[in-house]
Amino acid sequence: MSATTQTASDAPATGTVDAGEIAKFEAMAAEWWDPKGKFRPLHMLNPCRLDYIIAQVAAEFGRDPDQPRPFEGLRLLDIGCGGGLLCEPMARLGAIVTGADAAAGNIPVAAVHASQSGLDIDYRHATAEALADAGEQFDVVVNMEVVEHVADPLAYLTACRRLLRPGGLMVCSTLNRNPKSYMVAIVGAEQVMRWLPKGTHDWRKFITPDELFALLRGAGLEPVDRKGFVFSPLAWSWSLSDRDLSVNYVTTSVKPVD
Amino acid sequence: MDERIDMLIVGGGLVGPALALAAASAGLRVRVLDAAPAAALADPEFDGRAYAVAAASRRMLRALGLWAGIEGAAQPILQVKVSDGVAGRGAAPLFAHFDADELGEGPLGHIVEDRFLRRALLAAMAESPLVTVETGARVIGQAEVPGGVEVTLADGTTRCARLLVGADGRGSQVARRAGIGRTEWAYRQTSLVAALEVERPHEGIAQQMFFPDGPLAILPLTGNRVSIVWTEDTTRAAAVQAMDDDGYLAALRPCFGDFLGQIRLAGKRYAYPLGLSLATRITAPRLALAGDAAHGIHPLAGQGLNLGLRDVATLAQVLAEAHRRGEDIGAADVLERYRRWRQFDIAALATATDAINRVFSNANPLLRLGRTLALGAIEAAPALRRRLMREAMGTAGDLPVLLQGRAL
């Protein structure tokens, strides 16, 4: 989930690997995909993230999400793909999915799990900048909880814009910066609940929705939607909110056609 | 992994096929496995069994397009009378009375014979391009495989899917093989079940009378027929079941009373020993349980099938939402949503049904006075009565959309 170390020169982690390595990757994949394990917070948030992405993509490209494989033929890139928690659902919905992660170790892990699931996903050890420099273009770029980790958000979002074909759509989520988000994301999630390892987030790098909209515009994108991800302790689940963007939130922007 | 199948259901009774059709309505590809030969499934003999189909269950059957084929054989329940009986003296003077007109939401439920439900489900499965039924298919093994689950049949062949559902009844072998234990207790009671022809019209009234040895339910069937569920302690039930038809009717009459005039048997007589059987968990990796495989409750409130259909509506909705999101329908977090949604409902109803039975199956005069007063109080308190009626109709609580009569 981290895209902090953005080096384009490392070779993609594909090719032949020995059986011991595969067993290790399988164990790590099991860890990524264990809803009660290390990545529990992501598993809990995932349905809500998927609902948002699906609704935005369906609306933008005129697809009916009730049809089988509604995203057939759409090229989608997930930046910071981790174990593939977003890539696999998108591939099941018919998208041609590329998953990129700056952490080399995630790539074979995600690939092993996709093959167990019978899905064809192109996983690459690469950064957004490297993919953009290679001239890759996508209909959809999914960019979830990455921007608060990068050194230069504007340069990063500019690379994301280059990765979109004209008319393409980017979904970008991050964390708001205010006293409440400090209490919830740092004190609550890292120190009290221990949902996340200490030091996962640097609160000072969190971005307010207005700042993110300004950055997106600065990168040459047109922001079209923003919603909050709100956790309800009573239902023990996340839901989308039109008004409450105080901690986790998500945006959609499009790349202008001209 | 069989790429063409999303879900394998073991058990071709009522809950399994209902789940297959509900899931197929959301675009899932389903295979139903049943050990019984095709002929036995296709042409069930009338075995006297009938179900109280609650209003919410009926709405779900309608949303799945099944109700039109069942309605003609369904008897609406217009009133329910619950009374405390004294053996040899019939119903006590105080009784609780539930009238559909009081709620203004249509009949309280319908009584439908098992065979008509089965036929409607089989016909619909035969028409669905997404549902395959395999008869004579006895499952002898099951195992998790990468990305799915594989079952082995007695003939040595295997079937794969992303999710396995055990709808194979209270003796569920699917649950046993998954290492899921059961909490079971027997009631030392047996239900005698038979259909009767009666002289006077039943007017759509269902009767539930509580006698010291157990309850007697008189459920209206179409025409001048009723189905009885007559529960006695096991020794007495065995003695009654061993009598000839005249002896049986003579033993029944003091409880049944004469409000429907002359009675005679309209079919075979059956005996079902009663017990509560709850699975300790309703999910396991790549596995979910539904219906009696998850929870066999005492049948006195007529809620067994309704509870099973609530499982179906809940599981189908959880799976439909996961499928629409592109999630793996057999993944642990998807199954956890089903478990969380169902667990409270199952525990509450099993406990309530067991408690009602323990209190009412008792000849202690103090308890008898207490419950007679309680039933009288229900009669006197319309708000409480309407609440109980809604609960029995299955329309209270956080309802899955199918039970609200909407499609997935």
Side-chain angles (χ1 to χ4, degrees):
Chain A
M1 282 307 296
S2 164
T4 37
T5 52
Q6 304 250 334
T7 48
S9 55
D10 294 9
T14 51
T16 51
V17 276
D18 69 42
E21 285 289 280
I22 298 229
K24 188 179 82 188
F25 296 148
E26 282 173 351
M28 288 168 72
E31 198 173 34
W32 259 106
W33 287 86
D34 176 2
K36 292 188 170 149
K38 203 161 123 187
F39 299 100
R40 181 170 166 225
L42 277 182
H43 280 275
M44 285 167 65
L45 183 56
N46 217 35
C48 192
R49 301 200 304 183
L50 287 166
D51 286 345
Y52 183 80
I53 296 167
I54 290 165
Q56 294 298 322
V57 173
E60 187 64 28
F61 296 96
R63 305 295 178 99
D64 177 359
D66 287 336
Q67 291 304 308
R69 298 176 65 83
F71 298 160
E72 193 80 64
L74 289 179
R75 285 201 73 205
L76 181 145
L77 170 68
D78 178 17
I79 303 172
C81 62
L85 265 54
L86 289 171
C87 289
E88 291 199 9
M90 290 299 131
R92 275 197 200 91
L93 296 180
I96 303 159
V97 178
T98 300
D101 206 300
N106 283 337
I107 300 306
V109 171
V112 159
H113 196 274
S115 100
Q116 286 177 348
S117 302
L119 296 169
D120 186 14
I121 296 170
D122 178 14
Y123 284 114
R124 296 197 221 168
H125 173 217
T127 63
E129 287 82 349
L131 289 170
D133 288 345
E136 302 264 4
Q137 286 214 318
F138 300 87
D139 298 294
V140 180
V141 170
V142 177
N143 180 355
M144 308 301 271
E145 289 94 34
V146 175
V147 68
E148 71 274 17
H149 293 282
V150 304
D152 182 348
L154 182 62
Y156 169 69
L157 292 173
T158 304
C160 291
R161 193 255 303 146
R162 288 163 62 209
L163 285 165
L164 283 173
R165 70 158 178 75
L169 174 139
M170 180 168 79
V171 179
C172 175
S173 69
T174 187
L175 288 109
N176 202 341
R177 191 180 71 256
N178 54 38
K180 183 181 173 187
S181 73
Y182 185 82
M183 286 308 293
V184 174
I186 307 293
V187 178
E190 292 186 17
Q191 293 166 14
V192 178
M193 297 304 285
R194 308 273 168 93
W195 281 348
L196 299 169
K198 275 189 192 174
T200 298
H201 288 119
D202 178 353
W203 178 76
R204 290 165 302 174
K205 294 177 84 174
F206 288 3
I207 302 168
T208 68
D210 288 343
E211 286 168 358
L212 184 59
F213 266 30
L215 284 165
L216 290 165
R217 287 197 187 95
L221 291 160
E222 187 189 322
V224 294
D225 188 61
R226 54 166 101 174
K227 293 250 181 338
F229 288 140
V230 180
F231 184 69
S232 157
L234 208 62
W236 205 250
S237 64
W238 292 81
S239 56
L240 287 165
S241 168
D242 287 330
R243 275 167 301 173
D244 184 0
L245 282 69
S246 59
V247 185
N248 291 76
Y249 69 95
V250 60
T251 66
T252 297
S253 34
V254 292
K255 179 174 180 174
V257 177
D258 48 309
Chain B
M1 277 294 297
D2 187 336
E3 282 305 311
R4 293 154 302 160
I5 298 294
D6 294 305
M7 173 164 64
L8 283 167
I9 299 173
V10 178
L14 299 177
V15 166
L19 177 62
L21 292 165
S25 78
L28 288 163
R29 298 149 301 180
V30 188
R31 185 182 286 264
V32 179
L33 305 172
D34 198 283
L41 272 188
D43 193 20
E45 155 180 34
F46 177 52
D47 65 0
R49 279 190 298 174
Y51 302 97
V53 175
S57 300
R58 180 187 70 237
R59 282 199 283 277
M60 170 171 156
L61 293 170
R62 182 172 288 144
L64 294 174
L66 294 163
W67 186 246
I70 294 170
E71 192 167 16
Q75 168 63 44
I77 305 169
L78 304 175
Q79 295 177 46
V80 177
K81 287 183 178 172
V82 182
S83 54
D84 191 13
V86 181
R89 286 198 276 145
L94 277 172
F95 58 86
H97 179 209
F98 304 98
D99 193 328
D101 288 341
E102 196 179 330
L103 273 184
E105 296 175 10
L108 295 166
H110 286 77
I111 304 294
V112 185
E113 292 168 36
D114 181 77
R115 53 180 172 163
F116 295 124
L117 275 171
R118 270 171 209 271
R119 265 178 216 158
L121 288 164
L122 276 173
M125 287 196 296
E127 275 178 28
S128 169
L130 294 175
V131 180
T132 318
V133 181
E134 264 192 85
T135 50
R138 193 163 63 84
V139 176
I140 57 164
Q142 70 206 38
E144 258 191 278
V145 294
V149 58
E150 182 181 87
V151 307
T152 306
L153 304 185
D155 66 7
T157 60
T158 59
R159 306 284 182 275
C160 282
R162 290 196 272 158
L163 173 65
L164 171 65
V165 174
D168 50 345
R170 58 170 65 207
S172 174
Q173 294 300 300
V174 170
R176 189 189 57 74
R177 277 187 295 264
I180 296 176
R182 303 192 83 81
T183 304
E184 299 192 294
W185 57 101
Y187 285 103
R188 297 189 302 277
Q189 288 178 326
T190 296
S191 279
L192 302 172
V193 172
L196 304 178
E197 271 176 33
V198 294
E199 189 185 8
R200 294 189 205 134
H202 49 58
E203 291 172 336
I205 302 171
Q207 302 259 354
Q208 178 106 40
M209 302 176 196
F210 290 93
F211 291 95
D213 288 330
L216 168 66
I218 302 169
L219 308 172
L221 297 178
T222 48
N224 261 18
R225 294 177 310 144
V226 297
S227 171
I228 58 159
V229 182
W230 178 20
T231 307
E232 289 278 355
D233 82 68
T234 293
T235 317
R236 161 124 171 105
V240 172
Q241 186 68 359
M243 295 172 180
D244 63 17
D245 286 359
D246 288 342
Y248 185 93
L249 289 172
L252 174 64
R253 266 188 205 101
C255 294
F256 194 95
D258 57 5
F259 69 103
L260 292 176
Q262 294 293 317
I263 54 175
R264 63 188 188 88
L265 284 158
K268 286 193 201 167
R269 294 153 33 187
Y270 295 84
Y272 301 98
L274 295 188
L276 191 73
S277 171
L278 300 178
T280 52
R281 288 179 288 141
I282 62 167
T283 60
R286 298 270 164 201
L287 172 71
L289 300 178
D292 283 356
H295 44 70
I297 63 165
H298 193 297
L300 71 80
Q303 295 295 349
L305 177 67
N306 294 318
L307 197 54
L309 291 180
R310 282 176 87 119
D311 293 345
V312 168
T314 308
L315 183 54
Q317 185 171 338
V318 164
L319 297 179
E321 285 168 1
H323 180 61
R324 212 166 283 161
R325 247 182 223 134
E327 292 178 293
D328 176 352
I329 61 157
D333 32 3
V334 174
L335 298 180
E336 175 64 12
R337 291 170 211 155
Y338 171 58
R339 190 195 66 77
R340 287 180 68 92
W341 200 350
R342 287 305 292 144
Q343 67 176 4
F344 179 76
D345 194 19
I346 292 169
L349 198 50
T351 308
T353 310
D354 184 54
I356 289 172
N357 188 54
R358 277 163 197 269
V359 171
F360 279 96
S361 300
N362 196 312
N364 180 320
L366 267 180
L367 261 181
R368 171 172 291 277
L369 178 66
R371 69 197 185 220
T372 304
L373 289 174
L375 286 176
I378 291 173
E379 184 63 17
L384 172 62
R385 189 168 60 245
R386 280 195 290 269
R387 162 116 190 93
L388 287 173
M389 285 161 78
R390 284 217 175 76
E391 192 63 50
M393 289 167 80
T395 52
D398 187 8
L399 270 192
V401 299
L402 279 170
L403 293 175
Q404 298 171 34
R406 294 189 283 130
L408 283 173

